[in-house]
Amino acid sequence: MARAIVLVLDSFGIGHAPDADKFGDIGANTFAHLAEKHYQITGKKINLPHLTSMGLAEASFAAGNTTFPIEPYAVTKGAYGYAAELSSGKDTPSGHWEMTGVPVLFDWGYFTDKENAFPKTLMATINQKTGYAGMLGNCHASGTEIIARLGKEHIKTGLPICYTSADSVFQVAAHEEHFGLDNLYAYCEMVRTLLDDYNIGRVIARPFVGNSAEDFIRTGNRRDYSVLPPSPTVLDKMVNADGHVISVGKIADIFAHQGISEKTKATGIDALVDATISHIQSARTNSIIFTNLVNFDQDYGHRRDPLGYAQALEAFDKRLPDIIDAMTDDDILYMTADHGCDPTWQGSDHTREFVPMIAYHHNIGDVNLGQRNSFADLGQTLAEMFSLEALDYGQSFYQQLSKNE
């Protein structure tokens, strides 16, 4: 019986989506722009031999209707295409839920004011329920910028740093030692119970350490508190059919721990890849190993660091043979993304883009999957792969993966 390994290259968009005009993202292209910046700064083309030989460049050129500097390699083994998003937003839960067969067709609630972002009544209720006299921040901000700006005041006053973004999110930054991890988690859990009427998708605990703005740094103890998907995902169907779903990284948090059999936390791309390989080596048949590589998004996309993003991609590409070597003949590797986050775009928010849809197994040939009309095509493919009940959205490409060399 087969196993599926799903790797989400968090924020790895490959060209603005057909509806990007609604989001102000016409012209965004995470992959093309980071590759161009890499070439401008280093004089070298980005080098991704394994991803390129699986068809990533071909899919990206088609999605963005452009070319960009990348070392050329012939497509030898891989199925490759590019997918548009049906969901109404360009946020993490929407992208992940859709790729498991449940697009978000309703509108999330947002805190749209850049300053004084949270309603006074909500702030008063949070303060009363949590026992804190107030909060710092109350604005739109980048996570690294706001701890540099308010970290010292946070330590002095003991008040949590609360902020938001263009996503449907309420984020809380707090110092692990001075505020305490358990206190941060308890605070976020309480806030989560108070946001249902606002239809906010996630509360995120953002712990950090350090002594000053120069060395404040976020840790790997982040925790996301999400609402449940509006209907059963392919993960739910897998678990209900006695299959096994393994979460690596923040996947379990994104699905509010529903449809998850086992979970592993790790910090950094290498550690996440190592954890994924460990599960490939030990997971039973009829399993989905589902990994989110969050660092592409939080360390490079949101921080608008195209060179760092490109170098992280090259480092990840070098790890792909380790993943492939751990796979059996029945395993299938899928790689995709949940949205874009163009590091050259204005602001620091996600971008509405096509995402890659790549699949690999040891006996596959060169398979062009073309344009996919929903991330849910991945969920439908997984449903067919494991003989599960079909999902309401998505078109399976499972039969196309049987093409041999």
Side-chain angles (χ1 to χ4, degrees), residues 14-26:
I14 57 174
H16 72 254
D19 59 356
D21 59 313
K22 299 177 183 177
F23 300 84
D25 290 334
I26 292 290

Side-chain angles (χ1 to χ4, degrees), residues 90-105:
K90 52 181 179 179
D91 54 275
T92 295
S94 295
H96 282 77
W97 295 357
E98 182 169 332
M99 71 178 71
T100 57
V102 182
V104 175
L105 303 179

